[in-house]
Amino acid sequence: MMDRDHTIQISQTSSLRPVAVLVFTAKLVVASFLVAQASLLPASPVSEVYGLSR
């Protein structure tokens, strides 16, 4: 009984790893997309006031 519970815990832990990799990859893709969009936008007056113009 204990052996089966232990193998279930191991299989659940190992099945979470691909999910974590997928979530991390999706976050990287979204972050790079947002950076690309921000670099394409024209400088706003607010960013120029604070000295954030490129």
Side-chain angles (χ1 to χ4, degrees):
M1 192 76 166
M2 291 297 259
D3 291 336
R4 188 171 56 174
D5 292 339
H6 185 64
T7 54
I8 290 172
Q9 288 177 350
I10 291 173
S11 65
Q12 287 176 349
T13 304
S14 64
S15 67
L16 288 178
R17 185 173 182 157
V19 175
V21 170
L22 181 66
V23 169
F24 181 73
T25 306
K27 285 183 178 185
L28 284 178
V29 169
V30 170
S32 62
F33 174 74
L34 291 176
V35 168
Q37 290 297 314
S39 66
L40 293 176
L41 291 175
S44 67
V46 174
S47 64
E48 290 175 3
V49 167
Y50 289 105
L52 300 174
S53 59
R54 289 171 234 117

